[in-house]
Amino acid sequence: MSRKKKWCYSIITVVLWLVVWQMTAYFIDNQIFLPSPQETVESLKRLFVSAEFYQSIGFSLGNIVKGFLLGVFVGMILAIGAAWSDFFETFVSLPLRIIKATPVASFTVLALFWIDSSELSVLISFFMVLPVVYSNVLAGIRETDTELKEMVGVFKVRLFDQIRFLYIPSVLPYLCSAVSVAIGLAWKSGVAAEVIGIVKDSIGNHLYQAKIYMEMPELFAWTAVTVLISVASEKLILWLVRLLERAVYGNAEETVGNEPITVMQDNDTEENNLPCPEEKKREIRVHKVSKSYGDKKILENVSLSFSPKHPVALMGTSGIGKTTLLRMILGTEHPDEGEIERAEGVKAYAVVFQENRLFERVSVEKNLQCVCRTDTQKAEIPHLLKRLGLYACRKQKVACLSGGMKRRVAIGRALLRGGQVLLLDEPFQGLDEGTKQAVIGLVKEKMCEKSVLLITHDEKEAAGLGCEILQL
């Protein structure tokens, strides 16, 4: 539905309900039971010219927003703690369940014994917001992409970048949903607490006085004001959240430049002439490894070794266990039998996963920067992007790129990361033939000092990297 049509439907809906209200009030013809829209508007006009009206709104608004923000902050902190520790989650779950189950009236009466009535709406709003934010943020953290979590562990992405690029995008939709619900709860519970506590100079107190003196138009007017402020508060807070999101990730780009992409060959590089290290310092040995999932045997008695001068390509039908073996070499899974020996010189891995595993909401450049450990690596990014034909779109969000371009970003990330071992799981899938050959040349150039394991279904790719082919 277009925005214009949505606005038209909303206006028509409001008008129709006003007509229903007016007709109902006309037939009842009793102001004490149901005042008409006109009588309510007249009451609103009288309130608007009163200084006490604005003082009461300011008082209630300040207290309820204070309780809301406190609830959001504490709820997020508790959710982070619960995601980190199962014991902590169990520890906080009991009081949070009690808070959710306890009626607002009970909390309000108890709170009158603990604090001054002027702070009553702060506490009640806080209690209503806390469990909503906690449960939503915890769900968002737990829905974080497990493959991306594995990637940041392998590439040792800095905690700050993990929070910005991994966890915030996962949590943000849940937080927005929580905020949308919680702000309404905060206003309803906060004003209700003011009514019960007869809090001076508050919206709740005016509602109570209107009820006592049976001033129904004024009661409806104050109710309308409360609803409007609640809706406006929700819109404002969601706008601020989106503003923060744009500040962190920038505006989305809808298209990528149409200029043809040419992968450059670099004939001036000195890396081809660098001597490779001694074989034993970076060798990986797989010795009689077996792996099962339940009753299904994936790998049985597999042995192989690879080193800088002896790259290996694994080939075999899909589902035979190639990626499982790669994960065991990486250390993210463990064999049931056998062992994997890593030479003492193996300190870090670079991986092109079968999936791209990129931060979709940030730029190509930032995806590469987050795996850099030194300024030298960061300085290499422009040159590497030119080699991959991605320099023109370095500022583009990854989500806006084609599949083949995303694949080249994933390859560039692995080449930039360094490390002594390079693991490639079908790295050239999705690339056209010309681009594939150029990228294979780049990978071969960069892999001189690394122990390389390639998983592929294409013998030409294995030959292009000079790999010995092993069939599983």
Side-chain angles (χ1 to χ4, degrees):
M1 185 189 301
S2 67
R3 182 176 295 183
K4 185 177 180 180
K5 183 180 285 189
K6 189 174 181 180
W7 271 103
C8 288
Y9 285 175
S10 298
I11 292 170
I12 292 171
T13 300
V14 170
V15 170
L16 288 174
W17 277 111
L18 285 174
V19 170
V20 171
W21 179 9
Q22 176 63 46
M23 292 177 63
T24 307
Y26 175 78
F27 284 112
I28 292 175
D29 195 22
N30 187 337
Q31 185 189 78
I32 294 177
F33 187 78
L34 181 65
S36 67
Q38 183 180 354
E39 291 166 336
T40 303
V41 170
E42 291 297 327
S43 183
L44 276 171
K45 288 179 180 178
R46 291 193 296 272
L47 292 176
F48 285 156
V49 297
S50 168
E52 188 179 5
F53 171 75
Y54 298 100
Q55 181 181 353
S56 298
I57 288 178
F59 177 85
S60 295
L61 179 64
N63 277 3
I64 291 171
V65 169
K66 192 188 303 181
F68 169 80
L69 293 176
L70 188 61
V72 170
F73 176 75
V74 175
M76 291 176 65
I77 296 299
L78 293 181
I80 293 169
W84 175 70
S85 167
D86 291 339
F87 171 76
F88 185 80
E89 181 185 7
T90 305
F91 181 75
V92 300
S93 63
L94 178 60
L96 287 173
R97 284 176 185 157
I98 292 172
I99 290 171
K100 288 174 70 175
T102 304
V104 174
S106 298
F107 264 130
T108 304
V109 173
L110 286 170
L112 286 170
F113 289 96
W114 302 335
I115 60 174
D116 187 86
S117 63
S118 63
E119 299 294 328
L120 190 60
S121 53
V122 177
L123 183 64
I124 300 304
S125 299
F126 166 75
F127 277 141
M128 294 302 104
V129 169
L130 177 62
V132 176
V133 172
Y134 167 81
S135 58
N136 276 267
V137 171
L138 181 58
I141 294 173
R142 288 185 168 160
E143 286 298 314
T144 303
D145 191 319
T146 54
E147 292 180 347
L148 281 180
K149 287 168 70 175
E150 184 179 76
M151 183 277 292
V152 300
V154 169
F155 283 95
K156 302 189 187 314
V157 176
R158 291 181 296 273
L159 179 60
F160 178 66
D161 287 334
Q162 289 186 40
I163 293 170
R164 282 199 303 166
F165 302 147
L166 176 61
Y167 288 104
I168 290 180
S170 176
V171 169
L172 204 56
Y174 291 85
L175 181 61
C176 288
S177 176
V179 165
S180 181
V181 173
I183 191 66
L185 284 175
W187 272 99
K188 286 189 284 188
S189 60
V191 171
E194 292 174 346
V195 171
I196 296 171
I198 316 177
V199 180
K200 186 180 178 182
D201 297 326
S202 68
I203 292 176
N205 185 53
H206 285 288
L207 287 168
Y208 178 77
Q209 296 300 323
K211 174 252 182 185
I212 290 294
Y213 294 106
M214 302 180 71
E215 294 285 347
M216 296 306 287
E218 186 172 334
L219 179 62
F220 268 61
W222 277 108
T223 302
V225 168
T226 305
V227 170
L228 289 173
I229 295 175
S230 175
V231 172
S233 299
E234 177 187 344
K235 298 295 184 184
L236 176 62
I237 290 170
L238 290 175
W239 177 77
L240 290 173
V241 170
R242 294 189 184 101
L243 193 66
L244 175 63
E245 181 183 8
R246 285 197 294 270
V248 173
Y249 304 112
N251 291 318
E253 298 287 347
E254 294 183 358
T255 59
V256 176
N258 294 322
E259 60 183 278
I261 295 173
T262 304
V263 180
M264 299 167 54
Q265 297 293 332
D266 190 347
N267 298 318
D268 298 327
T269 182
E270 298 177 0
E271 293 183 40
N272 288 319
N273 300 319
L274 289 174
C276 291
E278 296 178 16
E279 289 290 283
K280 299 298 181 184
K281 289 185 178 180
R282 300 185 179 186
E283 186 177 24
I284 302 288
R285 299 181 67 87
V286 178
H287 183 64
K288 295 184 177 180
V289 162
S290 298
K291 181 70 177 180
S292 300
Y293 293 107
D295 296 331
K296 185 176 181 181
K297 198 81 169 180
I298 302 298
L299 295 168
E300 185 172 8
N301 203 29
V302 175
S303 297
L304 61 89
S305 65
F306 57 98
S307 61
K309 289 185 179 179
H310 182 219
V312 168
L314 286 180
M315 298 187 69
T317 58
S318 297
I320 203 169
K322 302 184 296 297
T323 298
T324 300
L325 181 59
L326 181 145
R327 289 171 58 81
M328 287 191 288
I329 292 169
L330 195 57
T332 55
E333 287 195 31
H334 302 284
D336 298 332
E337 299 175 9
E339 60 180 348
I340 297 173
E341 300 175 3
R342 301 168 180 86
E344 61 180 14
V346 175
K347 305 296 183 184
Y349 297 86
V351 187
V352 178
F353 296 97
Q354 196 171 54
E355 313 82 12
N356 293 321
R357 303 196 189 187
L358 300 169
F359 297 128
E360 295 276 333
R361 301 183 70 175
V362 299
S363 69
V364 171
E365 200 169 50
K366 287 182 179 177
N367 267 274
L368 299 187
Q369 288 173 349
C370 71
V371 303
C372 294
R373 313 305 299 175
T374 65
D375 291 338
T376 302
Q377 286 178 320
K378 289 182 180 180
E380 188 184 343
I381 291 175
H383 179 67
L384 181 62
L385 289 176
K386 288 177 182 177
R387 300 289 307 279
L388 290 166
L390 296 170
Y391 185 77
C393 58
R394 65 192 183 283
K395 301 295 184 182
Q396 295 280 346
K397 287 187 178 183
V398 166
C400 301
L401 303 182
S402 67
M405 297 171 81
K406 290 180 181 180
R407 199 58 181 161
R408 277 178 279 157
V409 176
I411 293 169
R413 179 181 61 191
L415 297 180
L416 186 67
R417 175 65 176 89
Q420 298 78 37
V421 178
L422 179 61
L423 304 176
L424 307 168
D425 194 350
E426 299 186 33
F428 309 114
Q429 60 180 332
L431 302 182
D432 63 79
E433 192 59 34
T435 301
K436 179 193 290 188
Q437 294 307 317
V439 173
I440 286 174
L442 175 61
V443 173
K444 185 174 182 180
E445 174 188 312
K446 297 286 187 180
M447 69 186 237
C448 177
E449 297 183 347
K450 306 178 191 297
S451 298
V452 176
L453 177 67
L454 169 69
I455 293 175
T456 183
H457 293 282
D458 189 341
E459 291 185 4
K460 292 180 180 178
E461 294 177 2
L465 294 180
C467 296
E468 177 190 355
I469 297 175
L470 296 181
Q471 289 283 347
L472 282 185

